Amino acid sequence: MSKNLGQLDRMVHGAYEAGWTTDIESDTLAPGLNEDTVRFISARKQEPDWLLQWRLKAFRHWQTMVHPEWAHVHYPAIDYQSISYYSAPRRPGDGPQSLDEVDPELLRTYEKLGIPLHERAALAGVAVDAVFDSVSVVTTFKEKLGEAGVIFCPISEAVREHPELIRKYLGSVVPFRDNFFAGLNSAVFSDGSFVYVPKGVRCPMELSTYFRINARNTGQFERTLIVADEGSHVSYLEGCTAPQRDENQLHAAVVELIALKGAEIKYSTVQNWYPGDADGRGGIYNFVTKRGIAHANAKISWTQVETGSAITWKYPSVILQGDNAVGEFYSVALTRGMQQADTGTKMVHVGRNTRSTIVSKGISAMRAENAYRGLVHIGAGADNARNHTQCDSLLIGDRCGAHTFPYIESRNPSATVEHEATTSKVGDDQLFLCRQRGLDPEKAVSMIVNGFCKQVFRELPMEFAVEAGKLLEVSLEGAVG
Amino acid sequence: MLKIANLHATVADTPILKGLNLEINAGEVHAIMGPNGSGKSTLAAVLAGRDGYEVTAGSIEYQGRDLLALAVEERARAGVFLAFQYPVEIPGVSNMEFLRASLEAVRSHRGEPNLSAVEFMKLARATSQQLQLDPEFLKRGVNEGFSGGEKKRNEILQMLLLQPNLAILDETDSGLDIDALQVVADGVNALRSPERAIIMVTHYQRLLDYVVPDYVHVLADGCILRSGGPELALELEAKGYGWLRDDAA
């Protein structure tokens, strides 16, 4: 028994492949957080006064908030004064207007991560916004998207170019009072992506943002806002990596999605922040608030593959505001080493005939802890609302943990809410069966885990489903990685 | 093909096999019988190399090699096949995907080229029909939601695809109704050939009506108490195991 566990352990000790750093000159704000920090960030981004005032309001409110303690994660108190809130690669003037002006070192960074930014080399049919520490370094295919009327740009640019949209929607789904990390983000957010898809337009390309934390002692506080106007359709993917460092780094993002009548937003995440080493040194604290609002006949679908971060605290949610709105959440969360994840979703049914589906797959290996936390709320007016939740946990070895915290609140007797949960082990038996049929132990574990996740991988855009499978393999292999 | 000498094995420090000797030649079918706890399944597990079964003395020679020095998957690729008593489920991994990966692993070890997807599909379909399994079930997860009988037939399906040199059937007959038993037995008989050997671990004489063994061994308290031909199984059926023990004492 113990012999077998040792083998499983070795297998899940995969090396983190994105752990290198980029050597680049940066303008980094000294650590510390006060109103001047907020003013500095706003000024650096040449923001209008209304946004500065909004940030300051958020900051003042945040100071009155308490750090949430309810999640099933454990870490020492964070000293918010020891973090730098802004770091940008140094560049002449206002920053690059085209790829030719981007520091080649940055282009190489993304290339090495498998994200070529030159449009001719780019993944076919995928437009990329590359965010490096606190700024967006380049957004590809802007012109091609522009022809369809789709706006895809850094949010700091959108503040200048499309202030009416930002003013209308920023903070409309996740107000700064929402929670501690959303409050902090609203005060100090730096960059992130903005997407607007006009009425009736089907976005011609996959959109994706690639987040990279590079600077030491720096937090990344990105903000993403996606507005899909009536009857439009957009599919968006974000990827995240960070260098291997001994100290913990904070990533507190906010993502807001607005799907107007009949619109559809598909939002996929492949999160591979540095998870820390096997003893729990270093790694990203990934404290993220993601929420969408779906108006009548609209659909919002979250798919996430979470393999990185020392701690993951995120609950991509959908407010099913309009009648017949649909919300989906498909999640794979893999924790190994000393990683901890408390993740899940909230489906808030407001409109009639609203439907939501939750499929959560948690995998824990070694000494990791993995918790699913989900709320299904059926409001009094949500006649005939339906939810189906399926929540499966897979344990590898016998020192890890899986926990499920489902909350169901129903205020409408016509609603149907179903919850299924299973916990299983990558058993010695499964592994033995595979090996007895001639398979390598590594291949066997990766096959078992991929099988477990199949239902979620099916939901990823095709270009990334393969990537996700591979990422899981890298995370699990170790012995051969 | 297989030479087991003075085999001692423990499970969780409890001695189970206590000096077992057995020799099996290519072309032979051996039945291993014996009461519960006599060490039948332990023998099967030790041959396959399962964790938790520790060999404390003795040797096993397979095709002239030291079997105990090989890892589980190496034994499998060298042609040792174990049909499980309790086949486990692997949800989300289709039977097809699993069979193909395992066939590829075994074939590449033998230096044979991989089958094309079409060739493989044809082979898998034909073999499942031979076992009266709906080919649709190749698309389902490995053993996922299979009935007891389907699981056992799935084991035989894997055996027929992999064409092992040494097949070990660990109580494959248990829990099968008479029709399923016939199908499974037909599968096993189809595998019989002068190059192959088969070990059938069983509790009952029933299976031996369908697959007639060359030798029958009775295991008791970790040793082979008596060996004989098929008639020994019939005698056991009539008199029970107690008779042998009294006889030995």
Side-chain angles (χ1 to χ4, degrees):
Chain A
M1 186 72 189
S2 59
K3 197 166 130 200
N4 217 11
L5 282 178
Q7 188 179 44
L8 282 167
D9 269 8
R10 275 199 302 284
M11 249 177 282
V12 293
H13 268 293
Y16 183 72
E17 295 200 334
W20 38 272
T21 50
T22 303
D23 195 8
I24 195 162
E25 263 192 86
S26 289
D27 282 326
T28 303
L29 188 61
L33 180 56
N34 53 39
E35 289 203 2
D36 288 341
T37 320
V38 177
R39 287 178 199 278
F40 172 88
I41 294 168
S42 185
R44 182 55 71 99
K45 299 202 168 283
Q46 301 162 359
E47 286 174 356
D49 188 58
W50 66 264
L51 188 51
L52 172 63
Q53 295 311 320
W54 188 77
R55 284 178 180 274
L56 288 171
K57 250 201 280 183
F59 180 67
R60 286 167 198 148
H61 182 74
W62 176 72
Q63 288 177 304
T64 69
M65 298 175 93
V66 289
H67 191 271
E69 303 292 342
W70 44 263
H72 189 79
V73 292
H74 304 279
Y75 53 95
I78 297 170
D79 177 4
Y80 291 91
Q81 297 304 331
S82 71
I83 298 171
S84 165
Y85 288 83
Y86 188 85
S87 178
R90 187 164 288 165
R91 58 194 185 186
D94 270 355
Q97 298 306 309
S98 76
L99 271 173
D100 302 335
E101 293 170 43
V102 175
D103 188 323
E105 192 57 38
L106 282 175
L107 294 181
R108 271 197 292 277
T109 298
Y110 283 91
E111 201 134 321
K112 210 164 149 189
L113 291 166
I115 323 284
L117 296 176
H118 281 290
E119 295 187 1
R120 62 176 184 278
L123 286 167
V126 182
V128 179
D129 183 17
V131 177
F132 191 85
D133 291 329
S134 306
V135 293
S136 167
V137 290
V138 70
T139 308
T140 63
F141 291 108
K142 272 163 92 169
E143 280 169 30
K144 187 170 175 203
L145 289 166
E147 287 165 23
V150 174
I151 302 168
F152 179 41
C153 66
I155 199 157
S156 46
E157 183 182 320
V159 168
R160 296 192 298 268
E161 310 281 327
H162 309 284
E164 68 298 341
L165 288 170
I166 300 294
R167 260 193 116 147
K168 184 166 178 190
Y169 291 111
L170 186 74
S172 69
V173 191
V174 181
F176 61 72
R177 288 183 185 81
D178 192 78
N179 69 71
F180 186 82
F181 297 111
L184 178 62
N185 174 285
S186 302
V188 300
F189 77 86
S190 39
D191 228 333
S193 302
F194 173 72
V195 176
Y196 173 78
V197 189
K199 257 183 206 174
V201 169
R202 202 178 166 89
C203 184
M205 309 178 83
E206 293 278 345
L207 305 183
S208 82
T209 301
Y210 201 89
F211 295 98
R212 175 79 176 166
I213 299 178
N214 188 63
R216 190 179 287 274
N217 286 327
T218 301
Q220 192 176 52
F221 303 92
E222 92 255 7
R223 184 114 196 166
T224 294
L225 176 61
I226 298 178
V227 181
D229 213 329
E230 293 178 15
S232 69
H233 179 285
V234 62
S235 171
Y236 175 95
L237 181 125
E238 60 173 354
C240 331
T241 58
Q244 200 155 332
R245 297 195 188 283
D246 284 345
E247 76 270 20
N248 295 108
Q249 283 182 284
L250 179 62
H251 172 257
V254 170
V255 175
E256 297 177 281
L257 310 183
I258 294 110
L260 297 175
K261 272 186 204 160
E264 186 175 338
I265 301 175
K266 185 173 174 61
Y267 191 106
S268 313
T269 302
V270 176
Q271 184 265 106
N272 187 26
W273 295 120
Y274 177 56
D277 68 14
D279 298 318
R281 255 192 314 273
I284 302 289
Y285 290 165
N286 190 36
F287 300 152
V288 172
T289 307
K290 291 181 165 172
R291 193 176 304 150
I293 184 160
H295 292 273
N297 301 307
K299 176 176 173 183
I300 290 179
S301 181
W302 298 101
T303 304
Q304 59 174 22
V305 176
E306 306 274 326
T307 61
S309 298
I311 301 176
T312 296
W313 179 99
K314 64 178 276 203
Y315 313 91
S317 305
V318 184
I319 300 166
L320 299 144
Q321 185 69 40
D323 293 350
N324 310 311
V326 175
E328 294 174 339
F329 174 73
Y330 298 95
S331 169
V332 165
L334 169 76
T335 50
R336 61 197 178 112
M338 297 286 281
Q339 278 179 284
Q340 307 174 57
D342 191 306
T343 184
T345 183
K346 285 192 275 187
M347 292 291 174
V348 180
H349 292 254
V350 180
R352 283 170 296 180
N353 303 313
T354 45
R355 279 180 289 136
S356 63
T357 304
I358 299 170
V359 177
S360 162
K361 304 276 183 178
I363 304 153
S364 331
M366 288 139 79
R367 285 177 288 165
E369 292 288 326
N370 204 323
Y372 166 80
R373 187 182 302 277
L375 167 70
V376 176
H377 175 91
I378 312 277
D383 292 342
N384 303 313
R386 275 185 293 157
N387 163 267
H388 182 84
T389 299
Q390 185 194 336
C391 187
D392 299 322
S393 307
L394 185 68
L395 302 172
I396 304 179
D398 62 1
R399 286 177 298 160
C400 51
H403 314 270
T404 305
F405 305 101
Y407 306 83
I408 297 169
E409 302 168 357
S410 182
R411 307 232 160 94
N412 187 312
S414 66
T416 312
V417 179
E418 296 166 335
H419 182 94
E420 282 177 49
T422 66
T423 301
S424 52
K425 261 187 89 176
V426 170
D428 298 341
D429 288 352
Q430 287 174 327
L431 196 58
F432 180 59
L433 168 62
C434 293
R435 295 179 66 197
Q436 214 300 307
R437 298 301 182 253
L439 304 180
D440 285 323
E442 288 83 359
K443 166 91 182 155
V445 169
S446 119
M447 193 184 236
I448 293 165
V449 172
N450 269 291
F452 178 75
C453 301
K454 193 172 273 176
Q455 225 180 332
V456 173
F457 287 171
R458 263 202 311 248
E459 300 297 327
L460 285 174
M462 193 124 80
E463 294 86 341
F464 300 103
V466 181
E467 284 301 308
K470 273 198 222 145
L471 184 62
L472 214 58
E473 235 160 82
V474 168
S475 295
L476 284 166
E477 267 178 12
V480 291
Chain B
M1 173 177 291
L2 186 73
K3 202 170 164 184
I4 303 174
N6 188 33
L7 185 66
H8 286 71
T10 60
V11 178
D13 294 328
T14 307
I16 306 288
L17 298 181
K18 305 165 185 171
L20 185 139
N21 295 292
L22 182 63
E23 203 162 323
I24 293 175
N25 297 308
E28 295 174 352
V29 174
H30 290 242
I32 311 260
M33 304 185 70
N36 282 333
S38 58
K40 302 189 301 290
S41 286
T42 298
L43 175 61
V46 167
L47 288 171
R50 191 168 200 145
D51 274 323
Y53 293 79
E54 202 180 337
V55 174
T56 50
S59 64
I60 305 177
E61 197 184 295
Y62 167 72
Q63 293 183 324
R65 301 167 73 183
D66 176 8
L67 186 70
L68 296 174
L70 301 179
V72 178
E73 58 275 16
E74 292 167 334
R75 298 182 198 194
R77 290 174 202 158
V80 176
F81 180 93
L82 173 66
F84 287 81
Q85 183 176 4
Y86 304 109
V88 290
E89 300 188 0
I90 309 180
V93 176
S94 77
N95 221 7
M96 191 73 99
E97 184 186 346
F98 178 71
L99 291 171
R100 187 151 189 218
S102 102
L103 187 61
E104 279 179 6
V106 171
R107 285 180 67 102
S108 91
H109 177 80
R110 290 185 198 145
E112 293 167 359
N114 282 335
L115 296 179
S116 73
V118 176
E119 287 168 325
F120 172 76
M121 285 286 283
K122 266 192 191 157
L123 179 64
R125 285 222 180 95
T127 315
S128 35
Q129 264 153 9
Q130 185 185 343
L131 294 166
Q132 298 177 18
L133 280 168
D134 184 346
E136 273 302 299
F137 113 137
L138 290 168
K139 295 180 192 159
R140 284 160 59 184
V142 176
N143 293 323
E144 202 180 346
F146 289 15
S147 71
E150 282 173 335
K151 284 183 182 171
K152 293 296 177 78
R153 275 186 279 173
N154 199 29
E155 294 293 292
I156 302 301
L157 171 66
Q158 293 164 35
M159 182 179 82
L160 292 180
L161 282 176
L162 296 177
Q163 297 279 303
N165 301 317
L166 175 66
I168 305 152
L169 285 75
D170 188 7
E171 304 210 15
T172 301
D173 53 335
S174 65
L176 288 186
D177 63 35
I178 206 77
D179 295 332
L181 187 66
Q182 178 72 58
V183 171
V184 164
D186 289 348
V188 178
N189 283 323
L191 196 76
R192 280 181 99 147
S193 88
E195 305 88 58
R196 281 187 244 285
I198 298 171
I199 299 175
M200 294 187 297
V201 172
T202 180
H203 228 58
Y204 307 104
Q205 143 71 19
R206 204 171 61 142
L207 174 66
L208 308 184
D209 290 339
Y210 297 89
V211 184
V212 181
D214 300 301
Y215 300 95
V216 173
H217 310 278
V218 179
L219 206 56
D221 197 24
C223 289
I224 288 179
L225 197 56
R226 182 172 298 194
S227 298
E231 70 290 344
L232 178 58
L234 292 167
E235 215 173 336
L236 280 173
E237 183 84 344
K239 299 185 184 168
Y241 291 114
W243 147 72
L244 269 182
R245 241 178 251 149
D246 300 341
D247 219 37

